[in-house]
Amino acid sequence: MDYPVDVAILISYFVLIGGLFLRIQVPLKQCLQSKQFGSTLFIVGAFVSFLFTWYYMISYFVHSYNESDRVATNEPVSLNSISHWLHNVSLFDDAWRTVSNGNIQWLWSQQICMFTVGVWTPFLAIEGARRRIPYLWAFMVLGQVVAISTASALFFAVVLAFPPTDLAGPSRRLATTLFICVVGGMITVVVSPFVAISEEFLPNLLVMHILLVIPLLPSKPAIYNYTQQSIYVVGIYMLSAGASLSICVRQWILCFVETGSIYGTLISMVDIFFAHPAQSSISADVAWVHILCMVWMIVDRLSKIKNGTAIPLPVLALFFLTPILTVSVTMPMYLAYSEFTAASSKHHTS
């Protein structure tokens, strides 16, 4: 084998995935032991989303291998031919350039980026601190190397199995760090399509991924006024929703100009979904994040209403608007609404 280091790097990628699943096995075991319908539902959702996204991910590996000009035509697949392929490609860089270069491509991809930066990162940090869930960073890294939909479904399941603690939450230092990292992450998302064909693309992408892990590193939960926490939580989620809406509207306008109509844009989105396996993997991840978050809105709300009360109209509105406004807009609005109603309830009962 001519390039053993390159093969070792690919193997280490799969070893990392296995290690991350082992790292989060303790909270996942608590999910299974709780035997809650919601937790079971999201674990099944994680498995199904994994199958969909990784079908396309493996297809991308095969596509990249077949397209490699350093692998001889009709050469039998061997460790040596795989080492030549890996030595002459950059799978991570090539995949993300593919899904970031082009208006329709970025219309798909910016959704998963903004969701991860502005919704999932604060949700992990805030709910993880309140519920004392261990290894939050592992859920984020798992999402980055496997699929955001798969990791978020697993975390939804864990959240349902870990009751919140009123006396715990993100410290003020963590809150500041989270705010800085979220804003910094949003900047990298905005920059991404403009550097998609330049040398600055990969460093910008790496900065994005690193910023999202920093607020999730182990820290001590703080004990302070719940109302103060709620004001901060509602603020960061509404900031995320506003930023996501502005980015999404701008991208839709660019796509309308390119295709000439809403119908043309929608048809192009379908075409682009299947145009390249790397794009298919990202787009499938986007689709499953939408589905899982819509399910979360209903499951979470049902767990909080009592005496057969109907699901509130704002929640139903956000549920049905998600496919239109995108999950990166409606999910933080739902989380802000949930936080506001919880804080109001505590205020009235205290």
Side-chain angles (χ1 to χ4, degrees), residues 4 21 58 87 104 106 123 127 137 140 158-159 166 172 176 180 194 196 206 208 278 311 335 346:
F21 276 111
I58 294 173
H87 184 72
I104 304 296
W106 188 240
F123 186 70
E127 296 304 322
W137 60 268
M140 174 58 74
V158 170
V159 166
D166 290 343
R172 289 177 176 83
T176 302
I180 293 172
F194 297 100
L206 292 175
M208 181 196 303
I311 296 176
L335 294 173
K346 288 180 181 295

Side-chain angles (χ1 to χ4, degrees), residues 129-199:
R130 284 180 174 172
R131 299 165 190 271
R132 302 179 188 268
I133 299 173
Y135 312 121
L136 298 175
W137 60 268
F139 286 95
M140 174 58 74
V141 178
L142 186 68
Q144 293 178 357
V145 299
V146 176
I148 295 298
S149 56
T150 300
S152 60
L154 292 176
F155 191 70
F156 285 151
V158 170
V159 166
L160 292 173
F162 280 71
T165 304
D166 290 343
L167 297 179
S171 66
R172 289 177 176 83
R173 181 176 181 180
L174 174 58
T176 302
T177 302
L178 178 61
F179 177 80
I180 293 172
C181 290
V182 166
V183 172
M186 289 179 179
I187 293 172
T188 64
V189 174
V190 173
V191 169
S192 289
F194 297 100
V195 296
I197 58 174
S198 71
E199 295 181 355

Side-chain angles (χ1 to χ4, degrees), residues 6-24:
D6 297 278
V7 175
I9 291 173
L10 181 62
I11 293 174
S12 67
Y13 174 71
F14 292 102
V15 171
L16 172 62
I17 292 173
L20 290 169
F21 276 111
L22 289 175
R23 182 75 286 178
I24 64 173

Side-chain angles (χ1 to χ4, degrees), residues 44-321:
V44 172
F47 178 72
V48 175
S49 70
F50 175 82
L51 291 180
F52 271 82
T53 54
W54 270 78
Y55 168 80
Y56 291 116
M57 182 65 75
I58 294 173
S59 297
Y60 168 58
F61 291 160
V62 174
H63 172 81
S64 176
Y65 178 87
N66 291 333
E67 292 293 312
S68 176
D69 57 6
R70 297 304 179 94
V71 178
T73 304
N74 299 323
E75 179 183 350
V77 177
S78 64
L79 277 178
N80 193 48
S81 67
I82 290 174
S83 75
H84 277 265
W85 160 55
L86 294 172
H87 184 72
N88 292 284
V89 299
S90 178
L91 293 172
F92 180 78
D93 183 72
D94 291 347
W96 273 102
R97 285 184 190 272
T98 298
V99 304
S100 301
N101 187 21
N103 287 328
I104 304 296
Q105 287 87 338
W106 188 240
L107 182 60
W108 275 113
S109 306
Q110 58 88 18
Q111 297 181 53
I112 201 69
C113 291
M114 282 304 296
F115 172 81
T116 306
V117 169
V119 185
W120 198 45
T121 300
F123 186 70
L124 277 167
I126 294 165
E127 296 304 322
R130 284 180 174 172
R131 299 165 190 271
R132 302 179 188 268
I133 299 173
Y135 312 121
L136 298 175
W137 60 268
F139 286 95
M140 174 58 74
V141 178
L142 186 68
Q144 293 178 357
V145 299
V146 176
I148 295 298
S149 56
T150 300
S152 60
L154 292 176
F155 191 70
F156 285 151
V158 170
V159 166
L160 292 173
F162 280 71
T165 304
D166 290 343
L167 297 179
S171 66
R172 289 177 176 83
R173 181 176 181 180
L174 174 58
T176 302
T177 302
L178 178 61
F179 177 80
I180 293 172
C181 290
V182 166
V183 172
M186 289 179 179
I187 293 172
T188 64
V189 174
V190 173
V191 169
S192 289
F194 297 100
V195 296
I197 58 174
S198 71
E199 295 181 355
E200 289 76 26
F201 178 75
L202 186 57
N204 179 71
L205 194 62
L206 292 175
V207 168
M208 181 196 303
H209 283 71
I210 292 171
L211 285 175
L212 303 184
V213 176
I214 293 175
L216 306 176
L217 297 176
S219 63
K220 293 183 179 180
I223 299 176
Y224 65 102
N225 186 277
Y226 190 90
T227 302
Q228 291 177 315
Q229 288 188 44
S230 295
I231 293 172
Y232 163 76
V233 171
V234 170
I236 197 167
Y237 283 139
M238 292 310 294
L239 168 66
S240 173
S244 297
L245 181 61
S246 63
I247 292 173
C248 187
V249 168
R250 178 187 179 277
Q251 196 61 33
W252 271 103
I253 292 173
L254 291 176
C255 293
F256 291 160
V257 172
E258 180 178 313
T259 63
S261 66
I262 296 177
Y263 177 77
T265 299
L266 294 175
I267 293 300
S268 296
M269 288 183 71
V270 174
D271 292 339
I272 290 297
F273 189 111
F274 299 103
H276 191 283
Q279 183 67 61
S280 298
S281 181
I282 288 291
S283 299
D285 202 14
V286 171
W288 275 102
V289 163
H290 277 70
I291 293 170
L292 291 164
C293 285
M294 291 172 71
V295 173
W296 173 258
M297 292 179 191
I298 301 301
V299 171
D300 180 58
R301 190 47 41 188
L302 287 175
S303 69
K304 294 175 180 176
I305 60 178
K306 299 178 181 179
N307 302 322
T309 307
I311 296 176
L313 183 59
V315 175
L316 292 176
L318 290 172
F319 177 88
F320 288 109
L321 284 172

